[in-house]
Amino acid sequence: QLQLVESGGGLVQPVQSLRLSCVASGFVLDYYAIGWFRQAPGKEREGVSCISRSGGTTNYADSVKGRFTIYRDNAKNTVYLQMNSLKSDDTAIYYCAASPRGLPSSICVLRGSLYSYWGQGTQVTVSS
């Protein structure tokens, strides 16, 4: 049973912060790169951030650089997305996704088609 469960979303004011969590169930997270993606109403899904299996490689969308940080705690089977200085444009459903098992340990990419397992999403709303 391969499952990813997101949590931590909610309603916040601009410039406030949230931390999203992605917890793996039924598999060991160490074997997978993890990505965070988001989809706003009327827009296509976009990559936000990703982290390699080793944690040594991270990537961020230009729109969140300097504000968001991705990190993982393999002992807890969890990947986090710390979101600071939130803006109204960050409003979206946020999804975490896991790569195919066996991806090289130093790779992660912000392209949803390369991920095999997806959570159901958590809503982030930033009011203006």
Side-chain angles (χ1 to χ4, degrees), residues 8-9 14-15 19 31 46 64 80 123-124:
V15 313
R19 188 180 72 169
Y31 294 104
E46 63 175 346
V64 307
Y80 302 93
Q123 177 71 49
V124 172

Side-chain angles (χ1 to χ4, degrees), residues 13 19 32 53 104:
Q13 301 297 314
R19 188 180 72 169
Y32 303 87
R53 290 172 56 191

Side-chain angles (χ1 to χ4, degrees), residues 38 47-49 60-69 90 94:
R38 67 187 182 186
V48 177
S49 185
Y60 298 91
D62 288 342
S63 59
V64 307
K65 286 180 180 177
R67 299 188 298 119
F68 291 10
T69 302
D90 296 319
Y94 284 71

Side-chain angles (χ1 to χ4, degrees), residues 36-39 43-48 61 63 89 110:
W36 283 98
F37 299 81
R38 67 187 182 186
Q39 188 165 23
K43 297 183 178 180
E44 295 184 352
R45 182 182 63 197
E46 63 175 346
V48 177
S63 59
D89 287 348
L110 290 175

Side-chain angles (χ1 to χ4, degrees), residues 66-122:
R67 299 188 298 119
F68 291 10
T69 302
I70 189 170
Y71 59 101
R72 65 194 301 157
D73 186 344
N74 287 343
K76 296 181 178 180
N77 239 26
T78 302
V79 172
Y80 302 93
L81 184 68
Q82 178 67 45
M83 305 187 295
N84 296 329
S85 301
L86 284 163
K87 306 174 181 179
S88 60
D89 287 348
D90 296 319
T91 296
I93 301 174
Y94 284 71
Y95 301 89
C96 67
S99 71
R101 181 184 175 93
L103 192 75
S105 62
S106 63
I107 292 176
C108 82
V109 295
L110 290 175
R111 188 157 59 210
S113 62
L114 298 181
Y115 290 79
S116 297
Y117 311 101
W118 293 80
Q120 296 188 13
T122 185

